[in-house]
Amino acid sequence: MSSTEQSSTEQIVECVPNFSEGTDEAKIGQIVQAMQVPGVRLLDWSMDPDHNRSVVTVAGSPEAVREAAICAVGKAAELIDLTRQTGVHPRIGAADVVPFVPVANMKLEQCALLARQAGAEIWKRYKVPVYFYEAAAARPDRALLEDVRRGQFEGLREAAVKDVTRRPDVGGPGLHPTAGASAVGARRFLVAYNVYLGSPGKDKPDMAAARAIARDLRASGGGMHGVKAMGVLVNGRAQVSMNITDFRATPVRQVFEMVKKLAARHEAAPEAGELIGLIPADAYEPESEWARQISGFDPEAKILERRLENPLAWPV
């Protein structure tokens, strides 16, 4: 079957699990290895020591990707101890979030079913409780990931025992003592995009500016549609860390221009950008200023459709 024929009929699902470990490459390597299931392609994996977080992207047939995700949660629970883990990124679990994303010949509702199936099996095999979010949410108050993750591991660990409304959808009532809980969901593509701020004439990173910009950007605060943002300190630099959940309605170029406009109010400016994981071809704007600010951007490595044709080798 040719690649053209295959692309018109093959069902492809993407899964982008995030793990609460960004400093130990050996551990992340083992987690990635655990996802090596027949029918699954490894598209990307990256470690962020400042956020203490890693992101892995795989894609393939629905059943194979579901199994890969389940195995990844189990290996993360074995290797990551949240009672010893710290980082600037919010988290509730060793395998913190496990989203399923429709790529080809799949509907969001089908990915939601995959998420529900994966969540039940994660509890059955590894006793890691699960919260369902976004399209897979079992309750309307858990559609937003930030609501599920409120209080992080430490706060949720106490709340799940005391408050019936905070208990997991599968398993529990308490969290796993070291692996916490996993948020398993279904969503459409998002763009994980970060901007580093430069503040000429200032000796210290302008965290007040980063936090104010993030507050004004967030859709939940009346900002830009489909944008989630927070201001964080990363490697001694002020960063606006964003998830753009609807890049068609709110293209990355519009987000960048707004960051630039808001930063000017604080006598700051976007200094560099970065993408975490992959982006769909439709989100890539090669002539835009935001794309030019990403050092060493390689479309062959970072655009989903191109990486599908040339996946990575699995780590040994």
Side-chain angles (χ1 to χ4, degrees):
M1 179 181 289
S2 71
S3 60
T4 302
E5 290 171 331
Q6 186 178 24
S7 65
S8 66
T9 59
E10 182 184 11
Q11 286 186 307
I12 301 178
V13 173
E14 179 189 60
C15 188
V16 194
N18 289 217
F19 303 98
S20 299
E21 171 58 63
T23 62
D24 192 326
E25 187 172 353
K27 286 183 179 179
I28 297 304
Q30 289 182 65
I31 292 170
V32 174
Q33 287 175 337
M35 301 182 77
Q36 189 174 355
V37 173
V40 174
R41 285 167 267 184
L42 176 61
L43 305 186
D44 186 72
W45 63 294
S46 60
M47 298 175 58
D48 185 336
D50 297 297
H51 288 85
N52 203 3
R53 195 170 180 85
S54 295
V55 179
V56 180
T57 305
V58 297
S61 67
E63 296 78 12
V65 169
R66 179 184 62 206
E67 178 62 20
I70 294 165
C71 292
V73 174
K75 183 57 70 172
E78 175 188 327
L79 298 175
I80 299 172
D81 183 349
L82 285 188
T83 66
R84 300 172 180 268
Q85 190 265 4
T86 59
V88 299
H89 200 289
R91 82 284 186 266
I92 61 170
D96 186 50
V97 293
V98 184
F100 293 87
V101 182
V103 174
N105 302 308
M106 287 288 292
K107 296 180 179 179
L108 188 61
E109 294 80 6
Q110 292 172 292
C111 285
L113 177 59
L114 279 182
R116 293 287 190 92
Q117 293 168 341
E121 193 64 22
I122 286 166
W123 170 251
K124 180 180 177 181
R125 291 191 206 177
Y126 306 114
K127 300 307 176 190
V128 174
V130 168
Y131 294 83
F132 295 119
Y133 76 103
E134 288 216 9
R139 294 166 30 177
D141 60 332
R142 292 183 177 173
L144 296 177
L145 180 59
E146 52 265 40
D147 290 337
V148 173
R149 212 156 47 187
R150 189 172 71 253
Q152 296 201 53
F153 167 67
E154 293 79 5
L156 187 58
R157 179 175 55 185
E158 304 300 322
V161 175
K162 297 177 181 178
D163 184 352
V164 67
T165 67
R166 299 299 308 281
R167 290 181 180 175
D169 292 306
V170 177
L175 305 190
H176 188 286
T178 58
S182 292
V184 181
R187 60 164 174 76
R188 301 195 185 279
F189 288 116
L190 66 76
V191 177
Y193 173 54
N194 302 330
V195 172
Y196 292 92
L197 299 178
S199 301
K202 296 184 180 180
D203 296 332
K204 297 181 180 180
D206 196 340
M207 287 307 302
R211 294 187 181 109
I213 292 167
R215 182 181 63 245
D216 291 341
L217 282 172
R218 284 193 290 266
S220 61
M224 303 188 79
H225 170 77
V227 176
K228 301 179 180 182
M230 60 181 180
V232 295
L233 181 66
V234 176
N235 199 26
R237 304 168 74 187
Q239 182 193 89
V240 182
S241 177
M242 296 166 283
N243 280 345
I244 303 169
T245 63
D246 189 347
F247 69 85
R248 287 185 171 85
T250 309
V252 183
R253 67 177 182 277
Q254 291 183 8
V255 176
F256 174 83
E257 290 300 326
M258 183 58 71
V259 171
K260 191 175 179 179
K261 178 181 178 181
L262 294 171
R265 298 178 183 173
H266 300 272
E267 299 181 340
E271 189 174 62
E274 67 179 0
L275 289 170
I276 306 301
L278 305 180
I279 62 169
D282 288 348
Y284 180 46
E285 302 159 304
E287 301 306 317
S288 63
E289 188 175 357
W290 74 263
R292 293 196 300 270
Q293 276 206 343
I294 298 175
S295 178
F297 182 87
D298 180 2
E300 296 302 317
K302 298 297 287 185
I303 293 178
L304 172 68
E305 291 84 350
R306 301 188 192 183
R307 183 53 90 187
L308 274 169
E309 293 297 321
N310 296 285
L312 297 173
W314 293 94
V316 177

